[in-house]
């Protein structure tokens, strides 16, 4: 059995009931095969694949809090500090009922390579809770966030581990957690990113993941003689990533015709009304059923279904495993040109393979959604120098980071004879830098 297959089998056996983690490791290992097999004895002796799949540290804790009825509630909190070879752990916190150890490990593992691709000095981590902020009062969310941070603050710090937002964790939650961190430690430091602008946040952080996704997609299209201008675009999700992907795609002349949430999806053939969407999701925190009130000619459907709409470009921006093999077949039958992931691992392995085999330009989230974490790293830089940069300054740095990421993954794929395979390119380019740093730092 080859070294890659042997370690993959052991990772699966050692981490039962973690299918998302198995999926992420399988995808990365498949891409790394040519790199590892070219120098198998060396990688095996150094146990590089074993080391890179074992988190440096994992913290799991109880989060008790009191709801508005006076009832004590208990949730699970977790932080995976996966790899600090190239910088302090960095990665979001996710609050969603589906959160479990396997999901956080898959996200933390992916984060190592994503952070490396940004070219900035940040290691990989991820965390969260099975707490569901949906339908909770502000007081309940604050009580939860304070309890969560009371435990987490023991393990994080501006030069140690710097969490950010993710699904279910936006400006409100970051604010409550930052306040509690400051209260307990007495430190006013850049321990979290995605902060509000009045207390150390960066301009353009809110927009960064969605904008970055579209900057990279535009560069990809331009390198293939196309651009976003005039393209019909299908987006899933209606959260932070989706909203700002829609905004930038519209600014670049694309027409976005769908969005979705966990209960249903909207098809608006005239193009999504972004102001209406922002009001529904960012201000009222309501369901997409509301959209029809603003745009009576649009369609609302229960369940999932955006991928059946004919488009040139598809941007999955909701959650993992939301674009399945049948969706991929439908997209190809409808002539899709490019699929770039805004969410983390939204496309299943077989769907990814089908898209690639059918000539679709496919960019994995670890490259195309890296704009969020890259801008978080820019927020850390601003906090360290106690300065704030202008929106234009941050946005232009974001744009050049995304363009560089595209060219790096393209070059890495070509170097291993896999031109146009951006999954392989992203995994190899991300891996090479982390491994060089790990080797330089000895056995640790
Ligand atoms: P949000 O919580 O702001 O939005 C998530 C969106 O996806 C919502 O519309 C939500 O619907 C929908 N959604 C969530 N879970 C499910 C599900 N199980 N089934 C169907 N729909 C679902 O999160 P973000 O926009 O921040 O994150 C979206 C994705 O992008 C995630 O994969 C995240 O890890 C990734 N990402 C985010 C970054 C960021 O900077 N925010 C950076 C890099 C990646 P509803 O409103 O009903 O909950």
């Amino acid at each position: 059995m080859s070294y890659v297959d042997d370690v993959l089998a052991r990772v699966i056996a050692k981490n039962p009931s973690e299918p998302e983690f198995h999926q992420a490791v399988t995808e990365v290992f498949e891409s790394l095969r040519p790199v590892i097999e070219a120098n198998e004895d060396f990688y095996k002796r150094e146990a590089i694949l074993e080391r890179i799949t074992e988190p440096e540290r994992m913290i799991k804790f109880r989060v008790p809090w009191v709801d508005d009825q006076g009832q004590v509630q208990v949730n699970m909190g977790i932080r995976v500090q996966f790899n600090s070879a190239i910088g302090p752990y960095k990665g979001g916190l996710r609050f969603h009922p589906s959160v479990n150890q396997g999901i956080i490990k898959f996200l933390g593992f992916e984060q190592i390579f994503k952070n490396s691709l940004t070219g900035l000095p940040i290691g990989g981590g991820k965390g969260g809770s099975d707490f569901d902020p949906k339908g909770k009062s502000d007081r309940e969310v604050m009580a939860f966030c304070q309890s969560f941070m009371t435990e987490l603050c023991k393990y994080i710090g501006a030069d140690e581990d710097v969490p950010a937002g993710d699904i279910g964790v936006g400006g409100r939650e970051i604010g409550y957690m930052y306040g509690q961190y400051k209260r307990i430690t007495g430190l006013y430091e850049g321990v979290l990113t995605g902060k509000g602008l009045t207390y150390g946040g960066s301009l353009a952080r809110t927009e960064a993941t969605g904008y970055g996704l579209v900057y990279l997609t535009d560069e990809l299209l331009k390198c293939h003689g196309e651009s976003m201008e005039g393209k019909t675009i299908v987006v899933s999700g209606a959260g932070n990533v989706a909203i700002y992907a829609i905004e930038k795609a519209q600014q670049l002349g694309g027409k976005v015709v769908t969005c979705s949430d966990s209960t249903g999806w909207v098809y608006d053939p005239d193009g999504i009304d972004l102001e209406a969407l922002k009001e529904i999701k960012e201000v009222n925190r309501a369901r997409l059923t509301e959209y029809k009130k603003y745009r009576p000619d649009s369609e609302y459907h229960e369940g999932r279904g955006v991928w059946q709409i004919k488009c040139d470009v598809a941007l999955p921006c909701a959650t993992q495993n939301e674009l399945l093999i049948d969706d991929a077949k439908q997209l190809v039958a409808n002539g899709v040109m490019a699929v770039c992931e805004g969410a983390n691992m939204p496309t299943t392995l077989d769907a990814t393979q089908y898209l690639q085999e059918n000539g679709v330009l496919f960019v994995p989230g670890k490259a195309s959604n890296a704009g969020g974490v890259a801008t978080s790293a820019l927020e850390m830089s601003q906090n360290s120098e106690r300065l704030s940069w202008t929106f234009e300054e941050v946005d232009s740095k974001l744009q050049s980071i995304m363009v560089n990421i595209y060219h790096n993954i393209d070059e890495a794929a070509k170097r291993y004879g896999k031109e146009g395979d951006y999954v392989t390119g992203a995994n190899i380019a991300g891996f090479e830098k982390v491994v060089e740093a790990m080797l330089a730092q000895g056995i640790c």
Side-chain angles (χ1 to χ4, degrees):
M1 196 188 269
S2 75
Y3 173 50
V4 171
D5 291 324
D6 176 38
V7 179
L8 184 57
R10 280 191 278 139
V11 166
I12 292 172
K14 250 174 67 174
N15 301 277
S17 325
E18 295 184 359
E20 293 85 1
F21 182 52
H22 304 164
Q23 184 180 342
V25 174
T26 304
E27 186 226 81
V28 170
F29 277 20
E30 283 309 323
S31 301
L32 295 180
R33 227 176 250 284
V35 181
I36 303 292
E37 286 175 1
N39 210 348
E40 191 174 89
D41 289 346
F42 171 76
Y43 285 110
K44 192 171 176 178
R45 192 177 61 245
E46 293 290 337
I48 286 295
L49 296 181
E50 290 91 328
R51 280 201 265 165
I52 212 157
T53 48
E54 189 68 42
E56 288 175 16
R57 188 176 302 111
M58 204 153 61
I59 304 129
K60 244 179 151 176
F61 48 96
R62 180 171 70 203
V63 190
W65 56 282
V66 182
D67 71 16
D68 285 346
Q69 283 69 49
Q71 173 67 48
V72 176
Q73 301 284 345
V74 180
N75 287 98
M76 176 276 290
I78 182 167
R79 183 75 182 163
V80 177
Q81 298 180 332
F82 225 119
N83 192 300
S84 62
I86 63 169
Y89 309 106
K90 181 95 200 85
L93 296 170
R94 175 176 292 192
F95 294 168
H96 193 273
S98 64
V99 163
N100 58 39
Q101 183 170 300
I103 288 185
I104 296 301
K105 279 172 67 182
F106 120 63
L107 290 163
F109 182 69
E110 290 279 293
Q111 198 81 42
I112 304 169
F113 307 99
K114 180 191 304 194
N115 292 1
S116 166
L117 285 174
T118 65
L120 300 169
I122 38 179
K126 197 82 189 185
S129 172
D130 56 359
F131 172 74
D132 187 359
K134 239 180 267 162
K136 304 287 191 303
S137 68
D138 283 352
R139 195 211 61 80
E140 289 177 319
V141 171
M142 182 170 72
F144 172 80
C145 288
Q146 290 181 337
S147 180
F148 183 85
M149 185 50 88
T150 300
E151 191 59 29
L152 185 68
C153 74
K154 299 169 190 165
Y155 310 99
I156 61 175
D159 294 312
E160 190 179 354
D161 182 356
V162 184
D166 189 67
I167 289 180
V169 179
R172 175 181 59 170
E173 291 76 14
I174 292 287
Y176 292 149
M177 287 191 279
Y178 190 72
Q180 186 72 352
Y181 180 84
K182 186 163 61 78
R183 203 169 155 204
I184 295 175
T185 63
L187 297 172
Y188 204 105
E189 60 171 13
V191 69
L192 294 170
T193 56
K195 298 185 292 299
L197 295 178
T198 51
Y199 62 96
S202 174
L203 287 161
R205 173 61 187 92
T206 305
E207 295 84 353
T209 309
Y211 276 24
L213 168 67
V214 175
Y215 288 143
L216 184 141
T217 307
D218 195 45
E219 183 68 10
L220 165 78
L221 293 176
K222 281 181 178 149
C223 291
H224 290 83
E226 297 278 351
S227 78
M228 292 296 273
E229 175 89 44
K231 297 288 178 300
T232 299
I233 300 153
V234 158
V235 168
S236 65
N240 173 263
V241 179
I243 286 175
Y244 292 96
I246 295 173
E247 183 164 285
K248 184 52 71 181
Q250 290 180 343
Q251 285 172 8
L252 296 186
K255 184 158 95 165
V256 182
V257 293
T258 64
C259 60
S260 64
D261 64 14
S262 45
T263 43
W265 59 285
V266 160
Y267 173 50
D268 189 340
D270 297 327
I272 293 291
D273 179 341
L274 190 63
E275 289 318 306
L277 183 62
K278 283 186 178 177
E279 192 168 310
I280 295 166
K281 286 292 175 185
E282 293 185 334
V283 182
N284 302 334
R285 297 178 188 268
R287 316 304 309 156
L288 274 181
T289 38
E290 299 289 305
Y291 187 84
K292 224 174 153 45
K293 290 186 192 153
Y294 296 80
R295 304 274 282 191
D297 292 339
S298 67
E299 295 173 17
Y300 174 80
H301 303 271
E302 291 287 325
R304 52 193 299 286
V306 294
W307 313 121
Q308 62 190 262
I309 300 296
K310 186 172 165 54
C311 64
D312 305 305
V313 174
L315 304 176
C317 297
T319 190
Q320 66 271 1
N321 294 331
E322 52 154 328
L323 198 162
L324 313 176
I325 181 71
D326 288 341
D327 304 319
K329 287 181 180 166
Q330 185 72 64
L331 284 165
V332 168
N334 285 340
V336 74
M337 191 182 294
V339 176
C340 299
E341 296 184 326
N344 284 315
M345 208 170 73
T347 318
T348 57
L349 289 174
D350 53 354
T352 301
Q353 207 176 351
Y354 187 85
L355 292 168
Q356 289 181 316
E357 282 168 4
N358 284 278
V360 177
L361 302 169
F362 177 86
V363 183
K366 64 171 72 72
S368 47
N369 71 27
V373 74
T375 308
S376 278
L378 300 179
E379 184 174 328
M380 290 165 70
S381 301
Q382 293 170 75
N383 292 163
S384 295
E385 61 177 15
R386 306 220 185 280
L387 290 174
S388 302
W389 305 341
T390 62
F391 186 96
E392 290 68 29
E393 219 172 333
V394 180
D395 190 36
S396 90
K397 284 187 167 63
L398 167 66
Q399 195 163 358
S400 59
I401 287 169
M402 298 313 296
V403 167
N404 280 340
I405 291 177
Y406 169 71
H407 290 287
N408 281 344
I409 66 173
D410 184 47
E411 182 275 325
K414 284 179 181 152
R415 200 153 27 93
Y416 280 89
K418 301 255 183 181
E419 182 163 358
D421 179 350
Y422 303 115
V423 174
T424 297
N427 286 327
I428 291 177
F431 175 81
E432 283 177 336
K433 181 177 163 188
V434 173
V435 166
E436 199 181 319
M438 284 171 73
L439 291 170
Q441 291 169 36
I443 311 299
C444 58

